[in-house]
Amino acid sequence: MTEAERWYRERYSASPERDALFTTVSGEPVTPLYTADDLPDPARIGFPGEFPFTRGVYPSMYRGRLWTMRQFAGFGTAEETNERFRYLLGHGQTGLSTAFDMPSLMGHDSDHPRSLGEVGREGTAIDTLDDMETLFAGIPMAEVSTSMTINAPAAVMLAFYVVAAEHQGVPPEQLSGTIQTDILKEYIAQKEWCFPVEPAMRLVTDMIEFCSRRMPRWHPVSISGYHIREAGSTAQQELAFTLKDGFTYVEQAIARGLDVDDFAPRLSFFFNAHIDFFEEIAKYRAARRVWARELRDTYGARDERSMLMRFHTQTAGVSLTAQQPLVNVIRTATEALSAVLGGTQSLHTNSYDEALALPAEEAVRIALRTQQVIAHETGVPNTIDPLGGSYYVEALTDRMEEAAYEYFRKIDQLGGMVEAIKQNYPQREIADAAFRYQEEVDAGRRIVVGVNRYVDELEEPLEILRIDPALERKQIDRLQSARARRRGEDVEAVLSALKQAAAGDANLMEPLIECARAHASEGEIVSALQEVFGTYTETPVF
């Protein structure tokens, strides 16, 4: 009998446990005590900046440089979002992160019938090059790092961004930032697509190839677990499906003829910081270790930079509640702290009112100040991976890694991630996990403060940001004015050239950039590609 077993039998078992759900939010059982017996081989932990990078991708981590504070922003037209960008930069934000409205995410122009009532509602409307130039008016694009959260039409938005920078005198080689581009997680979770899976994957690979040659400071793909988690997945599913998506992009680029070390250093990741504090930290640590091992041992990376998993984190929107919204400040602070302790490279903190509407300026300021307090007042960044060696955290990290490999094996048996998506495997797994969690909340076994426990019946309504409906008409007028100013024959020529290139096997980024220069709209470009590629129809999940 070990000392831990003796303690459990003689001491712990003598006292009754309270009635509670002793699992992580993902359902992983949590034992009463973790000991040295739960620690892995020290080589699996390692040192920061050294393989397998469990403790961080850089030797100095936050002692050398703090994470990028990158607040998500976008609403109305490009003018309103430009004002919010300037507001955030003026309050100490160190990177821009662009939210697009639903029509832009789906490849529709603002005057498309399906755009009615959605223009500028949940992000900014970007229809043409003119809008992209307005979005960054007065902001030096050579000096700011920009993130753009868009996937199916990501190549179109990157083309707009490149040409807008050209007009500021900035070549592609000087641009730094990230565009999400992660189309596989769209089919899995977020459901915003324009094309069938295979041509969509071609566009992703085109962007990876183009950026590896022309945009060395740009991340062409942000492999995103965030939306997988927001759809209801467990932490283990978020980790496994995200990594498998990443490996699939690597395989596609290698099949294109690219050397893994020519593009892998510019792949980045985007994870969710959910409410279960220690589970999230373990997730990030396991993610780094698995990515490094697979890039080296499976895909033959020789450059250490290819093995580094750099990731952005956003606190969990799905954890926010419409009830007692100020309590969301506490949730966000806890989640942000887990991201920092887990070694994130950049961070977005959600605003307390986001369960109700797009965030108001005061809420955004508090969200940003949350990061600044963690950075400058708590002492947390002063040492690297302070929870490394924790019996509990190391045991959770190992279990997280094991769970990821269990999913990898199942996905490989189905023929890989693309085939698994077509068979609805990850979609069903997420749906089952979301159902289990909601059952726990509804039954009161999983406590959510203000929702099923500690309810405030006399709660006062919160003042929220409301988008002026007139902005939709304003954006449609801007689009129609842009169309009237351009040369129609030039637009027809570049769209025809784009379709011809799409029918072959050429990289489509240069034709897309020519479309941007001619002021073709996003909807026109997407429609031209759909004439060649077709559209996607989802198989129902049962």
Side-chain angles (χ1 to χ4, degrees):
M1 181 189 303
T2 66
E3 278 297 293
E5 290 170 336
R6 179 202 58 77
W7 168 85
Y8 184 82
R9 179 176 299 179
E10 296 178 4
R11 299 288 184 176
Y12 184 81
S13 297
S15 302
E17 289 183 336
R18 61 187 170 89
D19 183 17
L21 194 60
F22 292 111
T23 69
T24 68
V25 73
S26 298
E28 186 72 24
V30 177
T31 64
L33 184 70
Y34 293 81
T35 71
D37 293 335
D38 296 294
L39 289 179
D41 179 338
R44 288 170 61 80
I45 304 176
F47 288 90
E50 293 184 359
F51 188 89
F53 307 104
T54 311
R55 306 198 68 182
V57 290
Y58 300 123
S60 62
M61 288 304 288
Y62 306 136
R63 285 179 70 105
R65 177 183 175 185
L66 291 172
W67 62 93
T68 301
M69 300 178 192
R70 192 189 296 278
Q71 293 299 112
F72 201 35
F75 64 94
T77 71
E79 286 100 338
E80 286 75 29
T81 301
N82 177 266
E83 290 176 13
R84 178 63 65 87
F85 279 172
R86 290 168 176 268
Y87 175 85
L88 289 167
L89 291 170
H91 280 79
Q93 180 170 304
T94 54
L96 298 176
S97 185
T98 311
F100 295 90
D101 69 359
M102 184 58 72
S104 299
L105 294 171
M106 297 296 294
H108 298 314
D109 284 339
S110 293
D111 58 357
H112 190 283
R114 290 188 178 178
S115 301
L116 181 64
E118 296 291 341
V119 176
R121 289 285 172 175
E122 64 172 27
T124 189
I126 301 295
D127 291 315
T128 65
L129 172 64
D130 301 60
D131 293 328
M132 189 66 78
E133 290 186 294
T134 300
L135 186 63
F136 290 94
I139 298 173
M141 295 172 74
E143 299 173 18
V144 69
S145 172
T146 300
S147 173
M148 292 188 282
T149 302
I150 194 164
N151 295 278
V156 180
M157 287 300 167
L158 181 61
F160 287 169
Y161 191 79
V162 166
V163 179
E166 280 181 2
H167 291 178
Q168 284 194 10
V170 181
E173 290 77 9
Q174 293 182 20
L175 295 173
S176 63
T178 304
I179 192 162
Q180 196 164 100
T181 316
D182 182 4
I183 195 60
L184 289 176
K185 66 94 174 137
E186 292 296 329
Y187 301 112
I188 293 171
Q190 196 163 345
K191 314 300 184 183
E192 293 161 1
W193 50 65
C194 297
F195 315 110
V197 180
E198 285 80 4
M201 288 293 289
R202 172 189 171 179
L203 280 170
V204 173
T205 312
D206 285 351
M207 293 176 68
I208 292 172
E209 183 179 38
F210 176 81
C211 291
S212 69
R213 294 174 178 168
R214 295 291 313 279
M215 301 180 74
R217 301 175 62 195
W218 191 267
H219 297 278
V221 185
S222 177
I223 305 153
S224 175
Y226 184 84
H227 307 92
I228 291 172
R229 194 65 177 282
E230 291 288 289
S233 82
T234 65
Q236 293 82 357
Q237 291 166 348
E238 178 193 359
L239 175 65
F241 298 156
T242 304
L243 287 170
K244 199 63 173 173
D245 286 349
F247 298 147
T248 303
Y249 297 133
V250 170
E251 291 161 6
Q252 291 274 326
I254 291 173
R256 173 71 64 89
L258 301 178
D259 186 282
V260 66
D261 288 323
D262 287 341
F263 66 86
R266 302 313 296 169
L267 300 180
S268 65
F269 285 79
F270 176 21
F271 285 114
N272 195 298
H274 215 288
I275 194 64
D276 197 303
F277 188 73
F278 293 106
E279 183 172 58
E280 296 305 290
I281 294 166
K283 179 184 71 182
Y284 309 132
R285 299 171 89 251
R288 281 193 293 269
R289 193 155 72 199
V290 174
W291 182 255
R293 180 189 303 117
E294 294 302 311
L295 264 290
R296 186 190 69 176
D297 297 347
T298 301
Y299 300 108
R302 300 171 304 281
D303 187 338
E304 193 174 76
R305 295 175 304 159
S306 299
M307 307 172 204
L308 304 184
M309 171 181 275
R310 275 78 50 107
F311 64 93
H312 171 70
T313 313
Q314 181 174 338
T315 57
V318 74
S319 73
L320 304 180
T321 64
Q323 301 91 334
Q324 300 180 42
L326 288 176
V327 176
N328 291 330
V329 175
I330 304 160
R331 295 186 177 100
T332 295
T334 302
E335 293 164 356
L337 185 58
S338 74
V340 171
L341 288 169
T344 192
Q345 275 61 67
S346 70
L347 178 61
H348 166 91
T349 33
N350 288 331
S351 300
Y352 60 79
D353 55 357
E354 286 191 57
L356 299 165
L358 289 174
E361 282 192 354
E362 179 187 7
V364 169
R365 184 170 60 251
I366 293 297
L368 180 58
R369 294 289 184 257
T370 301
Q371 294 198 49
Q372 291 164 340
V373 168
I374 293 172
H376 302 295
E377 297 187 27
T378 63
V380 167
N382 290 348
T383 191
I384 302 162
D385 189 30
L387 294 179
S390 156
Y391 304 143
Y392 182 35
V393 169
E394 296 298 353
L396 276 179
T397 301
D398 282 359
R399 178 62 197 126
M400 193 71 66
E401 181 179 350
E402 292 164 5
Y405 277 99
E406 289 169 10
Y407 270 116
F408 295 165
R409 285 188 285 273
K410 294 174 185 175
I411 292 167
D412 288 340
Q413 289 169 2
L414 294 172
M417 198 56 171
V418 170
E419 190 58 35
I421 289 170
K422 290 179 179 178
Q423 296 180 37
N424 276 335
Y425 172 68
Q427 296 95 310
R428 285 196 305 272
E429 288 290 298
I430 293 168
D432 289 346
F435 182 77
R436 174 195 59 79
Y437 175 82
Q438 193 60 49
E439 272 194 321
E440 291 175 353
V441 173
D442 292 344
R445 296 193 304 275
R446 179 77 59 188
I447 297 170
V448 181
V449 173
V451 175
N452 62 1
R453 188 78 65 87
Y454 315 113
V455 176
D456 183 359
E457 302 290 354
L458 302 177
E459 185 178 349
E460 292 290 329
L462 189 73
E463 189 70 28
I464 61 173
L465 177 68
R466 299 189 184 278
I467 305 300
D468 186 349
L471 291 178
E472 181 163 324
R473 183 69 254 171
K474 175 183 174 182
Q475 179 62 23
I476 291 172
D477 290 344
R478 283 174 55 87
L479 171 60
Q480 293 174 347
S481 175
R483 288 189 184 129
R485 292 194 305 273
R486 69 192 187 182
R487 287 171 50 88
E489 58 269 31
D490 291 346
V491 175
E492 290 180 14
V494 294
L495 291 176
S496 177
L498 175 64
K499 287 186 283 188
Q500 186 175 357
D505 58 6
N507 188 303
L508 296 180
M509 280 309 304
E510 288 294 351
L512 287 169
I513 288 171
E514 289 302 318
C515 288
R517 289 186 179 123
H519 295 267
S521 71
E522 180 197 28
E524 291 167 337
I525 295 169
V526 169
S527 294
L529 289 173
Q530 285 175 333
E531 289 182 33
V532 180
F533 293 156
T535 56
Y536 178 73
T537 302
E538 184 181 30
T539 303
V541 178
F542 297 108

